[in-house]
Amino acid sequence: MTDEAAQGQVLVRGRITGSELEQVVKAFGLGQAHRVVFLPSGMMNRNWRLETSEGVFALKEIADVPVSKARRSLDVLQALAVGGLPVCAPHLTASADTVAEIDGHSYCLLPWALGSHHAGTDLDVGEAAELGALLGRIHHELAKPGTGLKPAVERPRAKVTLPESAVAEADRFLRVITGLEAPEPFDIAAAEALEQRKALIAAHAAQRPADEVPRGPLGWTHGDFQPLNVLWKAGKVTAVLDWDRLAVRPYAEEIARTAQVQFTVDDGRLDLERVAAFTAGYRSVVSIADEDLADGVERLWWKRMTDFWQLQWHYDKNDHGPDRLWVSGERLLHWWSAHRDQVRAAFTTHP
C-alpha cells in the first residue's frame, strides 16, 4: 500500500460528520466542541481526542463488541475507579447512560488520560515488576462482588489447533500469493515465511498441548493488557485503557500474553529479564503455581505457532495494519521455539 493510499484510508476511518459530532456533544452535555482529532493507532474501534468547553475527552465509536458488552465493561470501570485502580471512569450522558446511540452508531466518552505508551525495554526492570503487580491487582479487584460481574465458576476451554489444520491454512495463503499477478515484497517474504512455518509445525507437532483444559486459577481478565492500552507518566501507570475484551480466562493466559506482547524486542526475542520481573511482580499479589504458569506459556506458544491472523487481515480483509506484526511475530516464533526451556524458566522465577 502506498503512503498516499494509507493516508486516504486513515482519513476515511477518521471521518465523523458535523451532525454526528454535534449530537455526541449534546448527548454527553459537553457544551461546545472546539477541536476533534482522529487517533489512528487503534485497529478495531475508532477513537478521537475531543476538546470541548467542558474539558478534554477520549471519544470512542463502539464497533468491535456488542453494545451490551461495552456497557458492562464501562460499568465495571466505574467500580474499579472507586477501588483505586488507574482507570478512566466513563462520562455519562444526560440520561445517566454510559453509551450514546446516535444514527445507528454507538459512542462512549472517557476523560482524557495523560501519559505515554511504553513498549518493551522502554520499561526498566522495576517498572516491569510494577506492571506485573498492577495486573495482579486488576485480577484481584475484578473478582470482588462490587464490580457486578458474575462469579467465574465455569472453566473456559482453550482451543488447540491441530497441526494439519494449521498447515492447511498456510497452504491456503500460499495459493492466494501464487495467484497474485504482481506480488509485492510483503507477499514474497510471506510465502517464504509460510514454508518455514510449515516446517516448524512439523518439527514441533508432538509438543502441542495435550488437551483443551487450561490449568490454574481463573477469573475476569482485561483481555488486551498491552502497551497501546497502558499509559505511563513519571514511572507510574496513569491509565489502563480499552476494556472491550473483558472476559473470564485462566490468569496464566493473560500473564503469558501480556509479557509476550510487552517484552518482545525488535530482534525477535523475549527480554527474559523483564519477563521474570513482570511475573514476579504479579505473583507478589496473586498466588499461581509454576506448573500453571508453564501451562499458559506453552499454550500461547502453540497458539502463535498455528495462528495466521495477520495474514487473514492482509489477504481476507485487505487491511494491512497488522503487517509489521506478522514480520516480528515470525522472528519471535522461531526464537521462542529454540529457547522454550529458558522462556518457561523466566515465567516461573520466584519473587
Side-chain angles (χ1 to χ4, degrees), residues 21 25 30-37 49-56:
L21 183 59
V25 168
L30 302 178
Q32 291 186 328
H34 300 317
R35 187 166 183 253
V36 60
V37 178
R49 185 179 192 271
L50 179 58
E51 300 175 14
T52 75
S53 53
E54 294 297 314
V56 182

Side-chain angles (χ1 to χ4, degrees), residues 164-338:
E164 51 267 34
S165 298
V167 169
E169 184 72 344
D171 284 336
R172 180 174 77 86
F173 287 119
L174 284 168
R175 289 193 297 272
V176 170
I177 294 169
T178 300
L180 295 174
E181 291 185 5
E184 297 185 354
F186 179 89
D187 305 310
I188 296 169
E192 182 179 355
L194 284 165
E195 294 291 358
Q196 293 172 351
R197 177 81 77 91
K198 288 167 61 179
L200 200 63
I201 291 170
H204 292 281
Q207 286 95 53
R208 69 185 184 274
D211 57 43
E212 297 189 345
V213 184
R215 299 180 56 136
L218 74 158
W220 289 92
T221 61
H222 179 279
D224 197 20
F225 194 73
Q226 48 102 340
L228 290 178
N229 290 330
V230 179
L231 292 176
W232 292 81
K233 186 177 181 182
K236 300 293 182 182
V237 174
T238 57
V240 179
L241 312 173
D242 193 357
W243 292 75
D244 288 348
R245 287 170 178 73
L246 181 71
V248 174
R249 300 177 180 87
Y251 289 154
E253 177 182 320
E254 181 147 83
I255 296 167
R257 180 184 184 273
T258 298
Q260 181 256 297
V261 175
Q262 179 75 50
F263 301 116
T264 295
V265 295
D266 291 340
D267 61 1
R269 61 181 175 84
L270 283 170
D271 186 314
L272 297 182
E273 181 183 18
R274 285 168 173 78
V275 167
F278 170 81
T279 309
Y282 180 90
R283 298 175 91 178
S284 71
V285 179
V286 177
S287 177
I288 184 168
D290 288 354
E291 57 268 26
D292 297 336
L293 272 172
D295 181 73
V297 171
E298 288 296 289
R299 288 180 184 279
L300 180 62
W301 165 73
W302 185 253
K303 181 178 181 180
R304 295 291 184 254
M305 180 77 74
T306 57
D307 190 11
F308 301 91
W309 73 270
Q310 303 98 329
L311 296 188
Q312 290 163 358
W313 279 56
H314 184 100
Y315 294 109
D316 297 342
K317 299 181 180 181
N318 196 31
D319 188 328
H320 299 186
D323 284 0
R324 62 179 180 80
L325 299 179
W326 163 256
V327 176
S328 62
E330 289 305 288
R331 287 198 298 262
L332 173 64
L333 180 59
H334 285 270
W335 178 89
W336 191 346
S337 298

Side-chain angles (χ1 to χ4, degrees), residues 132-175:
L134 175 59
L135 182 61
R137 288 176 56 208
I138 288 172
H139 289 172
H140 181 74
E141 291 295 323
L142 285 172
K144 291 183 176 179
T147 61
L149 296 169
K150 295 180 180 179
V153 292
E154 185 175 349
R155 181 166 294 275
R157 309 285 289 187
K159 181 181 178 181
V160 178
T161 301
L162 294 175
E164 51 267 34
S165 298
V167 169
E169 184 72 344
D171 284 336
R172 180 174 77 86
F173 287 119
L174 284 168
R175 289 193 297 272

